Amino acid sequence: MILVLNSGASDEQIAHVVSHVEALGLSAHVSRGTYRTIVGIIGDEDKTREQPLQAIPGVAEVIPVLPPFKLASRDAHPQASIVDVSGVKIGGGNLAMIAGPCSVEEPDRMERIAAAIKASGANILRGGAYKPRTSPYAFQGMGEEGLRVLRDTGRKFRLPVVTEITDPRNVELVAQYADLIQIGARNMQNFVLLTEVGKTRRPVLLKRGMAASVNDLLMSAEYILSQGNSEVVLCERGIRSFDNATRNLFDVAAVPLVKRLSHLPIIVDPSHATGRPDLIPACALAGLAAGADGVHIEVHDCPQVAKSDGPQALIPSQYHELMAQMRKLAGLFDKRISLVPE
Ligand code: PEP
Ligand code: MN
């Protein structure tokens, strides 16, 4: 931590800052410049983070040296992490291709969609059984029955499954059915949920909140990691903006930025980021080109009857075409779409 003192800081104030820092069991290194004096604090930065150092008379600014997400940071772990979702690897050159309907629907439909996405090369099947909806009157998901349908469909087509959790009371239940547990945008800062999911050893897909900074996202990942669960995959799914031409604003720069700051894999979700099937392919490819470790896309065989997010779903033939393009791009960057173990 570095303390920048006021330009007029007196010798007494400097001495007081030093003795305050030493009283915390840390040492202080004073550096006097022509206009400003700075005090470098040497020692455990976590100890100082909790202290209201800005309130010491004479202190103008407190500048941390290390990021506050120490387990998620690249400093802690220079190598890219690879998350294993029932044999499907994500990160370190391995791409997750997650596809499926927004909500889990009836078994026949799930089977049709799963067969199609599998044939196109997807390696994880998605579907929400518990849906966080803006309206309490909107379809809320099939609940445990949906979890069963999703798991059975995944088994039949040899695809690991990802589904969203919305309630900390359901952690055990969802962990029984899901290979990858999704925490959605609306719950990215539900700290109780993050903590409970962190206590499991199931991989977690953590989506960026719609008004969350990159720092907020990494701090939420830190909640999960700090409980001992190191299997975290991040997801950029668009943030709110003033412009409603697209559902959200796809923050593609967040992908290389997260990769600089963290060792955790990050995938993109152009379905929720744009809300428009005509824009999804370009944004999926942009995400991969920016270094994403996978792409998450909503696919439905008949979007006009979908229980949720029908207007943004790709139909299987569109997904098939996009997968062919994504495969080419992956090859260009020397990445592979992780195969599902037989
Ligand atoms: C979803 O994946 O269907 C979903 C609700 O996503 P998000 O949390 O990104 O809105
Ligand atoms: Mn959706």
Side-chain angles (χ1 to χ4, degrees), residues 102-103 126 131 247 272 298 308-309 312:
C102 180
S103 295
R126 66 148 283 142
K131 295 303 301 175
R247 183 173 177 181
H272 293 90
E298 288 185 346
S308 60
D309 280 350
Q312 73 188 27

Side-chain angles (χ1 to χ4, degrees), residues 101-103 126-128 130-133 164 182-187 205 207-210 235-238 247-248 269 272-273 296 298 308-309 312:
C102 180
S103 295
R126 66 148 283 142
Y130 297 94
K131 295 303 301 175
R133 306 304 299 279
E164 181 165 352
Q182 175 174 321
I183 293 190
R186 289 155 192 80
N187 275 304
L205 177 64
K207 298 184 89 176
R208 181 179 182 181
M210 48 193 106
C235 180
E236 163 55 39
R237 48 76 73 206
R247 183 173 177 181
N248 289 291
D269 170 358
H272 293 90
H296 174 284
E298 288 185 346
S308 60
D309 280 350
Q312 73 188 27

